Amino acid sequence: MSALEPGISETTVAAPPPQGGILGPAYRTLSVGIISVIFLIAFEATAVGTAMPVAARELDGIGLYAFGFSAYFTTSLFAMVLSGQWADRQGPLRPLTVGIGAFAAGLVCSGTAQLMGVFVLGRAVQGFGGGLVIVALYVVVSRAYEERLRPAIMAAFAASWVVPSIVGPLAAGTVTEHLGWRWVFLGIPALVVVPLMVALPAIRRTASGPVDPASPVAFDRRRIRLALGISLGAGLLQYAAQDLRWLSLLPGVAGAALLVPAVLGLLPRGTYRARRGLPSVVLLRGVAAGAFIGAESFVPLMLVTQRGLSPTWAGFSLALGGVTWALGSWVQSQGRTAPYRERLMVAGMVMVAVAIAAAPAVLVEAVPVWTLALAWAVGSLGMGLVIGSTSVLLLKLSAPEEAGANSAALQISDALANVVLLAAGGAAFAALGGGAVGAGHGAASASGAAGSHPAAFLVVFLPMACVALVGAWVATRLDPPQPQPEPQPEPSGA
């Protein structure tokens, strides 16, 4: 690209000077570029979440509503492992470029879909791109930033969600109501140009190529095969969960048979025993993200179909959460809070559990809708404390040559928990009549009586709150195990 400095090859690994903050002269262009990428992902997530209930209804796909979210996470599982291997071997530049392109292509596919199946396919392509991008960005942070600056750049990532969380639902809701939901998907790819122009040249200068050009990391074909297994297994489990017939037990069992060994092979040993240190960090990330996103995915649908809100206001009810999430991430990034990081994470998970448990209170007509917005702001504050801290701890506990693989493990835990909990929540939702939610119910209807199935929402939110409480216990096990002192030999003659 013309913006690159002459003489810089793609195998160059050059660390910026150690002085200054993330917006200092040595880091400014890189920081602005990668934060722009996160901004794009954030805007897509908040905008698409607002448009999803209308898209599913118009495509006659309410019964497959959860697939619109979980398909994204399913393909991202494979992409995360591929990106970690790719970035460790050749640097993060190429997986990031390919990922942004796939992300945009998936949006176009969903935006032009005439069938719910094609819509879900677009979300799957988009998830593949998102998986490549997020792991590549973690490798960039690991290579380009000193350890003292990593909490700050993670906090900046969280802060980049603030404007999208406020503007995204309002813009997406307005576009959905006046132009149609398709334009929410088709308009976002135009934002890809800015991150590409800003981020990629800076990444090529500071973090491209293998860590040690003389000893490049080889692709681990076993991990790639396991990644394929985890994605295929997750997809089969989702299909079985949504079909709800005895015959669906067959793909369900096949999915579990593929998923379990793949998960055990890709995540750090001891993850599902909550072994102290890195395994518990990876586990907590999945528990926190899965519980919160699994519940949040149903919030706009609940408000549109049960309380008669417009898509704009349903999405906007979550806007304050973006602000408090950024606040929580900022708090964990402060040096004076570092000694209390574990306590903050325990408190954060308790906040998440309380928020999820309180959300279905709005199914009662007498409860004001704004109480959900307040509860979600509290839960998002907890998520800011937890997610930012897991990212910091992971990079702290990872050797430079393992940053890609361990970042992939963290993101796999995140995405896999989303897939499994969304599949479970979607199955419970459909079993209690959720597929009929919104039937004959206009988006802006003043009454939530038509197609009302409050129990279908309760069986989504309450189990997710219990999962979040499990996360509060896992958060007490993040410190690495202390080495046992070797016994001292007794003095001779004693």
Side-chain angles (χ1 to χ4, degrees):
M1 297 176 65
S2 59
L4 295 175
E5 294 180 0
I8 301 279
S9 71
E10 195 161 321
T11 58
T12 302
V13 180
Q19 70 274 11
I22 63 171
L23 293 179
Y27 297 97
R28 185 180 299 122
T29 302
L30 177 63
S31 296
V32 170
I34 62 177
I35 290 170
S36 297
V37 175
I38 295 295
F39 181 90
L40 166 66
I41 295 172
F43 192 85
E44 176 275 336
T46 55
V48 167
T50 301
M52 191 76 78
V54 178
R57 188 172 57 235
E58 290 191 5
L59 294 173
D60 195 24
I62 290 291
L64 298 176
Y65 180 78
F67 267 128
F69 294 96
S70 59
Y72 180 102
F73 297 115
T74 300
T75 53
S76 69
L77 287 167
F78 172 71
M80 288 167 185
V81 177
L82 177 62
S83 184
Q85 295 275 304
W86 200 351
D88 282 343
R89 187 173 187 267
Q90 297 181 351
L93 183 63
R94 290 182 180 176
L96 183 62
T97 306
V98 173
I100 290 177
F103 190 81
L107 283 166
V108 173
C109 180
S110 292
T112 56
Q114 300 299 318
L115 299 171
M116 190 63 180
V118 178
F119 179 89
V120 171
L121 175 63
R123 292 287 290 163
V125 174
Q126 190 185 344
F128 179 79
L132 290 176
V133 168
I134 194 65
V135 171
L137 286 179
Y138 270 68
V139 177
V140 170
V141 171
S142 173
R143 293 193 186 186
Y145 293 86
E146 303 170 70
E147 184 175 332
R148 68 179 179 86
L149 294 178
R150 291 173 189 166
I153 192 64
M154 292 301 175
F157 282 0
S160 67
W161 281 75
V162 174
V163 172
S165 67
I166 296 172
V167 176
L170 182 61
T174 301
V175 170
T176 298
E177 291 176 34
H178 294 92
L179 298 177
W181 64 266
R182 296 182 184 280
W183 288 105
V184 174
F185 290 84
L186 296 176
I188 294 174
L191 300 176
V192 171
V193 177
V194 173
L196 280 174
M197 293 179 63
V198 176
L200 299 185
I203 292 171
R204 186 169 185 177
R205 288 195 299 269
T206 59
S208 62
V211 174
D212 183 2
S215 303
V217 178
F219 268 105
D220 187 338
R221 297 183 185 278
R222 175 179 172 273
R223 289 183 66 85
I224 298 297
R225 289 194 300 269
L226 290 174
L228 284 171
I230 203 173
S231 289
L232 182 57
L236 289 171
L237 279 179
Q238 290 172 76
Y239 173 79
Q242 292 292 309
D243 199 21
L244 297 181
R245 293 182 299 171
W246 285 109
L247 194 60
S248 298
L249 287 175
L250 294 176
V253 170
L258 287 169
L259 196 62
V260 172
V263 169
L264 294 176
L266 290 171
L267 299 186
R269 188 181 299 273
T271 294
Y272 287 105
R273 297 196 310 272
R275 200 172 92 187
R276 286 192 171 275
L278 183 63
S280 284
V281 172
V282 172
L283 176 60
L284 179 61
R285 178 59 165 261
V287 170
F292 190 80
I293 300 302
E296 186 178 61
S297 299
F298 285 85
V299 168
L301 185 66
M302 180 171 65
L303 293 178
V304 168
T305 62
Q306 306 302 296
R307 294 300 297 266
L309 267 66
S310 69
T312 301
W313 286 108
F316 202 64
S317 66
L318 304 177
L320 183 59
V323 178
T324 56
W325 188 312
L327 175 61
S329 191
W330 177 82
V331 169
Q332 68 79 31
S333 73
Q334 303 304 296
R336 59 181 176 273
T337 64
Y340 311 102
R341 189 178 296 280
E342 182 178 293
R343 295 181 188 176
L344 287 174
M345 296 173 80
V346 173
M349 289 308 303
V350 172
M351 292 180 193
V352 172
V354 169
I356 296 173
V362 298
L363 292 167
V364 179
E365 290 286 343
V367 176
V369 172
W370 59 261
T371 59
L372 186 147
L374 183 60
W376 221 249
V378 172
S380 297
L381 175 63
M383 286 296 285
L385 293 171
V386 173
I387 297 300
S389 292
T390 56
S391 301
V392 171
L393 288 175
L394 177 105
L395 296 178
K396 181 179 180 180
L397 296 173
S398 299
E401 65 276 9
E402 297 174 345
N406 287 345
S407 295
L410 189 76
Q411 297 301 325
I412 287 169
S413 178
D414 186 318
L416 181 62
N418 277 303
V419 169
V420 172
L421 292 178
L422 275 168
F429 181 74
L432 291 184
V437 164
H441 193 334
S445 170
S447 170
S452 179
H453 292 268
F457 290 98
L458 284 174
V459 296
V460 172
F461 286 95
L462 297 185
M464 299 297 179
C466 295
V467 172
L469 285 177
V470 172
W473 171 75
V474 176
T476 66
R477 303 181 57 78
L478 305 179
D479 290 335
Q482 299 297 321
Q484 297 295 323
E486 295 183 5
Q488 299 296 321
E490 293 183 4
S492 59

